[in-house]
Amino acid sequence: MTRAWFDISAGVAGDMLLGSLIDAGVSLDKIQKVLDELIPNSVRFSQATVNRGGQRSVKITVERLAEDPPHRSWASIRKLLSESTIPEATREMALKVFARLAEAEGHVHGVSPDEVHFHEVGALDSIADVVGVCEGLRLLGVSEVSASQVALGSGRILAAHGNIPVPAPAVAQLALGWPSSAGPSGEGWHSHDGHSHDHSHDEHESHEHTHSHGSHTHSHHHDLPHDEPAPVTTPGAVGELATPTGLAVIRALAECCEKLPLMTTSAIGIGAGGKDFAGHPNVVRVLIGETFQAAQSEQVTELAANVDDQNPQLWPGIMDALFDAGALDAWLTPILMKKGRPAHTVHALCRPADAEAISDVLLSQTSTLGVRFNQLERFVLDRSWHDVEVGGQEISVKVASRAGQILHATPEFESLAEAARKSGKTQAEMVQLAQASIVEAGLVAGNPVPESK
């Protein structure tokens, strides 16, 4: 699977995401073609190579061609995208992003998402960024998206509703459930001119997309020229590091927040924000590559207890009780406790939902006074069961696989022991015969997993 992993630990904005994809190899002319198909004669993209914190990066600029573009609501944008002939994958991703953005804006202003209206400038720029990013992902063949934690910024800014704290309301709403911080290295970064500034990643994007106006919600810019950043009103604070459009793209398209995943990287792109800070590169990075996993992973709980006064004859029954309660595995470890007393540590591995039941078994059926536990993550292979005939008897075989390909196959011992008893053969003989039958059945490493009966 081709994955795009975005490093948004220094913040995120729509033009920065697009710049990273262009730098990773996407043709800006192809992006332009899709926008021309969607809204003819509306915007023109341009790109430039710039330096951000000593790092080369690509800055995308959107020039508006229409002198008096219309206000657009989420409903009208949805209709525009739904009826367009742009690539289906691009259209579907863009619809998800705008739905997420409208939902956040509507919640902030207490209106239905369909009532959210974007200012004519903000609508064009948001459409250009969102559709551009979605088309870029499609052109790169990306099927999975994930991202790092996000930097939101700090301080207060002068926005449409006056002096407001960072993150702005829509950004805070979009950040719900996503790991976030004020910034990559703390408070108080400064731009190279020695003055504290708003980050203004997306110079053509409103810092607070909407404001209430009658029964609708309209995007509104500050009382400044459109390409000027919002003033930071907190001395020494960085201002905004994440814009609503940029964060909406991540929340709508990214499957999870994660550190750089296990992948073979084939391309790297770096997209620039509008300001150059001395303290950190003002960029979004994207890594494109093929993902692979040693196995599936899952969360498990390990419970353990030290027992030094247990009748050893009871252990087999206790182990059975642990498995009956949902243990995935259970085992005993001989230990020496204080004063040289021999004892055992009893361990049980289970899914988190079964931890309480497992703990009850340990507390009620052993002499321990307490149970400790750890939350762990384990990698597991896919498993399936198949029957093979061995000496006239059927034996169950456990097949371990990954991505539909067999890694190894092992006869289930109780099944093998029962077959040995019925056939009059020794267990050692049945093991040899079983291995031959497993090979004859094609249950060998490298072969596809057959359908289970």
Side-chain angles (χ1 to χ4, degrees):
M1 304 291 285
T2 300
R3 178 175 287 263
W5 178 76
F6 288 101
D7 178 359
I8 56 174
S9 58
V12 64
D15 62 339
M16 297 176 77
L17 293 168
L18 181 55
S20 70
L21 295 174
I22 297 302
D23 193 41
V26 173
S27 166
L28 191 58
D29 289 340
K30 292 183 178 180
I31 300 291
Q32 182 71 59
K33 183 178 179 181
V34 169
L35 262 294
D36 290 343
E37 184 177 340
L38 182 66
I39 313 177
N41 303 315
S42 58
V43 298
R44 180 186 296 119
F45 290 105
S46 62
Q47 69 181 84
T49 300
V50 298
N51 186 293
R52 292 291 181 263
Q55 190 167 334
R56 181 205 60 79
S57 51
V58 170
K59 182 72 178 75
I60 299 298
T61 301
V62 176
E63 177 188 357
R64 292 174 296 277
L65 303 179
E67 293 185 2
D68 189 23
H71 287 262
R72 294 186 187 273
S73 66
W74 159 225
S76 67
I77 292 175
R78 182 173 62 229
K79 185 174 186 294
L80 174 71
L81 289 168
S82 298
E83 295 179 355
S84 71
T85 58
I86 65 175
E88 181 180 358
T90 301
R91 179 173 62 248
E92 293 304 314
M93 284 189 284
L95 285 168
K96 288 181 181 179
V97 174
F98 272 107
R100 192 66 181 256
L101 182 57
E103 180 183 351
E105 296 284 9
H107 179 85
V108 165
H109 297 287
V111 299
S112 163
D114 278 350
E115 293 181 271
V116 171
H117 280 241
F118 297 87
H119 184 272
E120 61 271 14
V121 173
L124 268 184
D125 293 343
S126 293
I127 292 171
D129 284 343
V130 170
V131 175
V133 170
C134 295
E135 175 65 4
L137 292 171
R138 187 192 72 84
L139 290 171
L140 288 169
V142 170
S143 54
E144 301 174 332
V145 176
S146 61
S148 70
Q149 69 179 49
V150 62
L152 301 179
S154 62
R156 302 182 71 87
I157 58 170
L158 184 60
H161 296 283
N163 190 318
I164 65 172
V166 175
V171 173
Q173 185 67 25
L174 287 162
L176 283 174
W178 193 271
S180 57
S181 63
S185 58
E187 299 281 341
W189 306 294
H190 297 278
S191 59
H192 282 301
D193 62 8
H195 297 89
S196 178
H197 283 286
D198 167 69
H199 206 281
S200 186
H201 286 305
D202 205 346
E203 293 185 347
H204 56 275
E205 181 174 11
S206 170
H207 290 259
E208 189 181 8
H209 266 277
T210 60
H211 73 97
S212 297
H213 185 72
S215 61
H216 299 290
T217 303
H218 293 272
S219 174
H220 188 72
H221 292 276
H222 320 287
D223 295 326
L224 294 167
H226 181 254
D227 59 353
E228 289 295 319
V232 179
T233 63
T234 305
V238 68
E240 287 185 295
L241 297 181
T243 66
T245 297
L247 195 51
V249 170
I250 295 298
R251 296 310 310 272
L253 302 184
E255 299 171 4
C256 63
C257 175
E258 62 179 348
K259 296 178 181 179
L260 180 63
L262 190 64
M263 58 188 277
T264 302
T265 303
S266 57
I268 299 173
I270 305 171
K275 288 290 179 181
D276 187 15
F277 287 86
H280 71 283
N282 178 14
V283 299
V284 163
R285 294 189 301 162
V286 65
L287 276 68
I288 308 293
E290 298 300 312
T291 58
F292 58 93
Q293 276 193 320
Q296 299 180 49
S297 64
E298 64 179 10
Q299 300 295 320
V300 293
T301 301
E302 181 183 350
L303 298 100
N306 292 348
V307 181
D308 65 352
D309 55 355
Q310 182 77 46
N311 181 344
Q313 293 176 312
L314 300 178
W315 280 122
I318 293 170
M319 302 300 276
D320 288 342
L322 290 172
F323 284 111
D324 290 342
L328 300 168
D329 200 358
W331 66 99
L332 292 175
T333 304
I335 59 173
L336 280 178
M337 295 183 65
K338 60 185 178 182
K339 300 181 181 180
R341 290 202 298 264
H344 288 90
T345 298
V346 55
H347 305 261
L349 197 67
C350 66
R351 293 185 173 85
D354 296 322
E356 186 174 353
I358 298 294
S359 179
D360 285 344
V361 171
L362 293 174
L363 291 170
S364 63
Q365 298 195 34
T366 76
S367 57
T368 188
L369 298 178
V371 177
R372 58 189 180 273
F373 65 92
N374 286 309
Q375 302 296 345
L376 305 173
E377 185 172 12
R378 71 170 184 169
F379 289 105
V380 295
L381 295 172
D382 294 323
R383 281 165 282 185
S384 58
W385 293 92
H386 304 268
D387 293 334
V388 297
E389 185 176 324
V390 181
Q393 305 291 327
E394 279 197 345
I395 291 179
S396 295
V397 177
K398 181 164 60 177
V399 175
S401 61
R402 180 176 59 211
Q405 189 175 66
I406 295 174
L407 294 183
H408 50 79
T410 306
E412 199 275 320
F413 191 78
E414 289 187 5
S415 174
L416 185 145
E418 178 66 13
R421 186 187 63 79
K422 289 181 178 180
S423 66
K425 298 181 183 299
T426 66
Q427 292 181 358
E429 290 175 320
M430 290 300 292
V431 167
Q432 292 181 334
L433 292 173
Q435 293 296 339
S437 296
I438 288 171
V439 172
E440 185 179 355
L443 301 177
V444 295
N447 281 358
V449 179
E451 292 186 6
S452 299
K453 296 181 180 179

